[in-house]
Amino acid sequence: MNTETGNLYRKMGICDAVYAFGEEILSGLTERFSKIDETAEYNQLKVLNAMQEAKVSEACLLGTTGYGYGDIGRDTLEQVYAKIFHTEDALVRPQITCGTHALALALMSNLRPGDELLSPVGKPYDTLEEVIGIRPSKGSLKEYGISYRQVELLADGNFDYEAIGRAVSEKTKLVTIQRSKGYQTRPTFSVEKIGELIAFIKNIRPDIICMVDNCYGEFVEKMEPSDVRADMVVGSLIKNPGGGLAPIGGYIAGRKECVENAAYRLTSPGLGKEVGASLGVLGSFYQGLFLAPNVTAGALKGAIFAANIYEKLGYRVIPNSTESRHDIIQAVEFQNKEAVIAFCKGIQAAAPVDGFVDPQPWAMPGYDSEVIMAAGAFVSGSSIELSADAPIKPPFAVYFQGGLTWHHAKFGILKTVQSLKESGILSDKL
Ligand SMILES: *Cc1c(COP(=O)(O)O)cnc(C)c1O
């Protein structure tokens, strides 16, 4: 590798063999990458069109303080989200502190004592177990007399329609559908597939509220779950739709009544959407949303690049090298503790912030094994930025995601390969 770029890779610790291996893998990905670019182009236009139709002005980028009455930037941004998701309304606030908070808010505001919540897609994301009360927790839905039912997926990852049909009762008020696999090994659902499930539920009782946990899924496809009749889509702004610039926040887009319920719960009965100062974050919300389709595309390319690299090196990757993508998460099963640690060290060494830090496994509260995490992000905890984490237990799988630009994701993945090689783990392969 004698090009200028190759030289810089070498200077930054990527040896010729690893670089050449990466280039070889990349040469087979041209067609897939151009499909991703095509989706990003569509979504870029969708976002731009929404901003223009909502008449975003310079004044929208400023913020308010105190009560935040008449915050034109906040109100306009919510219109922009509603246009993008093709919903009646949206709630997009820095006062929604994270994805879990957005989901908890959507659930708690739309369910009442005596109602039942149903998950027809198996176990929800870890943090929701306490929201629901699957694991006892202060303030859970269970404490408020809201019951919960869950239908497991079939062994092949498909919906168990028969069991779902039986699980829907008079009490069923809301159905929650998690799009991304999160940190499980089941498949992530396409929007089309989510649409089939929603149609099935609506066919039993059209008044059941269908909510989709959209975390990590935004802008991966041209359609969003709200285009296939979801009543609410919910997510975090320090993932895809914040484009890496939003420093905090969550969103709920959906039917007017659902969003209104959430707003009255977030602030107060009687106040709803009318209060909530945006402080100084609106500029980053708008600009991050504007960049989000391309940021998501970069993260997606990184995930596919990694899947192809590690599959070629002989590891099980989920999704595999050729599967279609519906979120930005990539898992690699190493079956080996040292490999997991080496991978995370590689991701950390590629970070623009804290790149000099050496990540170590530690006993994190709430987990039943040690966990190792790698992240060096501009926004703390942001997982649209290049990041990885892994519980130190069989099958020794690493979950990684993000990358604000494709070229950073590429560098990070090459760094992981280099790190594994230097730990002697790839001895016969590279
Ligand atoms: C990240 C995530 C959440 C929770 O979001 P936080 O911002 O970490 O609270 C919920 N569901 C899914 C599928 C996620 O990926």
Side-chain angles (χ1 to χ4, degrees), residues 5 15 18 73 94 156 161 167 214 222 253 257 261 263 270 282 313 340 344 380 389-390 411:
T5 310
C15 73
V18 169
D156 62 2
Y161 281 116
N214 208 23
K222 290 178 182 168
E257 192 192 349
N261 281 335
L282 282 176
L313 290 173
V340 165
C344 289
S380 180
D389 42 68
F411 177 67

Side-chain angles (χ1 to χ4, degrees), residues 133-392:
I134 300 171
R135 276 185 283 144
S137 171
K138 285 209 186 306
S140 68
L141 294 174
K142 192 171 178 195
E143 269 197 358
Y144 285 86
I146 295 156
S147 57
Y148 172 70
R149 238 195 234 221
Q150 178 175 312
V151 176
E152 301 306 323
L153 294 169
L154 295 170
D156 62 2
N158 279 305
F159 307 130
D160 188 345
Y161 281 116
E162 221 173 282
I164 296 168
R166 282 196 305 272
V168 174
S169 73
E170 282 302 297
K171 285 173 68 181
T172 311
K173 172 76 178 293
L174 198 154
V175 165
T176 180
I177 302 166
Q178 184 180 311
R179 177 174 175 181
S180 168
K181 67 178 166 303
Y183 301 129
Q184 300 175 62
T185 44
R186 63 127 163 123
T188 288
F189 307 124
S190 67
V191 171
E192 187 186 0
K193 200 149 181 233
I194 289 172
E196 288 164 17
L197 178 55
I198 293 174
F200 179 83
I201 304 278
K202 296 279 185 191
N203 194 36
I204 303 175
R205 278 231 331 266
D207 60 318
I208 293 175
I209 300 168
C210 292
M211 178 187 97
V212 175
D213 174 351
N214 208 23
C215 282
Y216 287 130
E218 298 91 350
F219 302 124
V220 171
E221 299 181 44
K222 290 178 182 168
M223 277 196 307
E224 297 292 341
S226 41
D227 293 317
V228 292
R229 291 178 72 195
D231 298 289
M232 275 192 287
V233 287
V234 183
S236 161
L237 298 199
I238 62 168
K239 293 178 181 171
N240 309 16
L245 295 185
I248 191 171
Y251 77 88
I252 299 171
R255 264 182 31 225
K256 190 161 192 57
E257 192 192 349
C258 296
V259 173
E260 211 164 48
N261 281 335
Y264 285 123
R265 177 77 187 221
L266 174 66
T267 62
S268 158
L271 300 181
K273 293 182 84 182
E274 304 299 318
V275 298
S278 55
L279 306 171
V281 298
L282 282 176
S284 64
F285 280 19
Y286 278 105
Q287 197 175 355
L289 178 63
F290 183 71
L291 295 177
N294 270 286
V295 170
T296 303
L300 212 48
K301 288 177 184 174
I304 291 170
F305 182 53
N308 280 269
I309 290 240
Y310 280 100
E311 194 171 85
K312 186 84 182 221
L313 290 173
Y315 296 105
R316 177 166 182 241
V317 293
I318 307 141
N320 72 28
S321 63
T322 55
E323 257 172 80
S324 65
R325 299 276 161 158
H326 310 290
D327 69 8
I328 63 167
I329 300 182
Q330 181 64 48
V332 183
E333 268 182 27
F334 282 109
Q335 305 290 351
N336 173 326
K337 176 178 171 178
E338 284 67 40
V340 165
I341 295 172
F343 183 99
C344 289
K345 285 183 192 292
I347 292 287
Q348 188 74 39
V353 179
D354 288 338
F356 51 85
V357 168
D358 188 28
Q360 299 288 343
W362 63 298
M364 228 178 114
Y367 289 81
D368 59 359
S369 68
E370 285 196 315
V371 177
I372 182 166
M373 296 187 165
F378 295 105
V379 171
S380 180
S382 166
S383 47
I384 187 63
E385 299 188 51
L386 193 65
S387 48
D389 42 68
I392 303 293

